[in-house]
Structure formats: C-alpha cells, structure tokens
Amino acid sequence: MLLLYLISQVVTQINGGEVMITNLPETAEIEACTPVDTPLVCNEYDRIIAYYCDLYCIDPALVKVLIEKESEFNPNAVSRSGAIGLMQLMPETAEMLGVKDPYNPWDNIEGGVKFLRTLFDMFDGDLELTLAAYHAGPGLVKRLNRVPPIPETVEYVDYIISRYTPAQRTSYLKLTFTEEGVPLITNRPK
C-alpha cells in the first residue's frame, strides 16, 4: 500500500490554470500548531512531545493533557509523593526507564511516553486502566483489573479522559528490521 501511494500520481490545478503532476496529495498550508479548544496546543515542549510520541506510537494530544494535569508544564515540579518533572515520574520509575535527569524535559518526556507505551501494552490498549496505572501504579490496577476505588485516581482518570480528544490518526506504521535484517512494517514500536 505504501509503495502504491509513493508511485501514484495526483494531478492538481494550481494558480493560473497550470497543472502539476506529483506523487504527493495537495495539502493546505497548516500552522505549526492546530487551534483547538485547549490552551495545551502550542508550547515549548511540542517538538519533544511529538518526537517521542511518534517513536513510541502514543497520541501527542493525550500526553499534553497528561502533562498539564501532572505538572502544569513545569519541568521543575515535585509532588508531595516525590514525583518529578513534566510527567511526574517517581524516582524508581525514572531509574527503571533509564531516565538520567528527570528535570530535563527531553529525558522526562521520553521516560513518561515510554512508560505510557508499556502500560498501554500491559492493559491491551485500555485507556482507563492505562491512566489509572500511570497514577496509582500498575501493580494495583493489575490486581484489581479495574480503576482502583481511590478518589484521587478516579478523579485523575475522569479529568484526562474528559479533556482528551484523540488525534485523527488512528494507526501508526513504522518500518523496522528484524534481527535477521528482514524489513517489517508494524504498528508497534521495536
């Protein structure tokens, strides 16, 4: 399918009646950030969020809502329980994820997005359970197999789900290579 897209031709009429033949569909000029009903759209961390969300196949819109809830986009935030940085990683979790500096936005966002990917995989893509595990810990959510009846966790999950609008993109495809060097197109990170 990808090959078909790359070799297909699109005929577009441009200004003055000229015709352009290309393998790329016509696109309107878009701004760096698309306006939506949230103040989370454009900020200094968009590039970092987009990079790691693409790498780990996570929706950037979800990560933005999560960061807003966790730290209000403050890279120096520290919670009462000791969670650190933009995505409020617990020190043990940060260490487990290989985060060198949890106050560094690049390190913190990579660790948080990587952790989200792990949780999504652990809970078979269930958003509520993934968010509950991000907040209350995966062990408790796995034991109960539901959102724990902790008021703070229930409020956290409700808050994020009520503000999260999934991106239009429903599947992510990555080209990777197996250990034997065989090309593989997948929707899962390596």
Side-chain angles (χ1 to χ4, degrees), residues 21-89:
I21 299 174
T22 179
N23 66 334
L24 299 175
E26 183 177 347
T27 59
E29 286 188 30
I30 55 172
E31 299 175 11
C33 300
T34 306
V36 293
D37 297 333
T38 173
L40 309 177
V41 177
C42 293
N43 67 54
E44 61 191 293
Y45 305 112
D46 280 350
R47 194 173 107 230
I48 303 169
I49 293 167
Y51 177 81
Y52 287 117
C53 286
D54 186 47
L55 184 66
Y56 292 104
C57 301
I58 297 289
D59 186 352
L62 176 62
V63 173
K64 286 183 180 186
V65 175
L66 192 140
I67 291 174
E68 186 268 335
K69 176 65 174 162
E70 289 286 352
S71 68
E72 296 178 350
F73 289 92
N74 177 0
N76 299 311
V78 179
S79 73
R80 294 181 311 239
S81 61
I84 302 168
L86 290 164
M87 295 193 74
Q88 291 291 279
L89 300 174

Side-chain angles (χ1 to χ4, degrees), residues 6-186:
L6 291 174
I7 62 172
S8 66
Q9 294 183 352
V10 177
V11 178
T12 306
Q13 190 162 0
I14 57 176
N15 296 340
E18 296 176 34
V19 174
M20 177 173 66
I21 299 174
T22 179
N23 66 334
L24 299 175
E26 183 177 347
T27 59
E29 286 188 30
I30 55 172
E31 299 175 11
C33 300
T34 306
V36 293
D37 297 333
T38 173
L40 309 177
V41 177
C42 293
N43 67 54
E44 61 191 293
Y45 305 112
D46 280 350
R47 194 173 107 230
I48 303 169
I49 293 167
Y51 177 81
Y52 287 117
C53 286
D54 186 47
L55 184 66
Y56 292 104
C57 301
I58 297 289
D59 186 352
L62 176 62
V63 173
K64 286 183 180 186
V65 175
L66 192 140
I67 291 174
E68 186 268 335
K69 176 65 174 162
E70 289 286 352
S71 68
E72 296 178 350
F73 289 92
N74 177 0
N76 299 311
V78 179
S79 73
R80 294 181 311 239
S81 61
I84 302 168
L86 290 164
M87 295 193 74
Q88 291 291 279
L89 300 174
M90 292 300 288
E92 304 80 31
T93 304
E95 186 177 332
M96 174 190 79
L97 295 166
V99 175
K100 292 179 176 63
D101 179 4
Y103 293 100
N104 176 297
W106 281 92
D107 289 352
N108 190 281
I109 291 171
E110 179 182 19
V113 172
K114 184 189 240 183
F115 189 45
L116 270 176
R117 173 80 271 152
T118 301
L119 296 173
F120 266 116
D121 291 344
M122 184 181 295
F123 295 105
D124 297 321
D126 186 304
L127 180 60
E128 284 189 10
L129 295 181
T130 296
L131 293 172
Y134 194 92
H135 187 264
L140 178 60
V141 175
K142 229 175 171 22
R143 276 195 305 279
L144 298 175
N145 199 30
R146 65 184 181 97
V147 175
I150 302 167
E152 228 178 44
T153 302
V154 171
E155 185 274 328
Y156 177 87
V157 171
D158 289 346
Y159 177 92
I160 292 179
I161 288 177
S162 70
R163 284 161 179 77
Y164 168 54
T165 304
Q168 296 293 331
R169 191 171 166 190
T170 56
S171 66
Y172 297 83
L173 294 178
K174 293 277 185 194
L175 173 64
T176 188
F177 294 90
T178 64
E179 290 177 10
E180 295 81 27
V182 177
L184 174 69
I185 296 177
T186 179

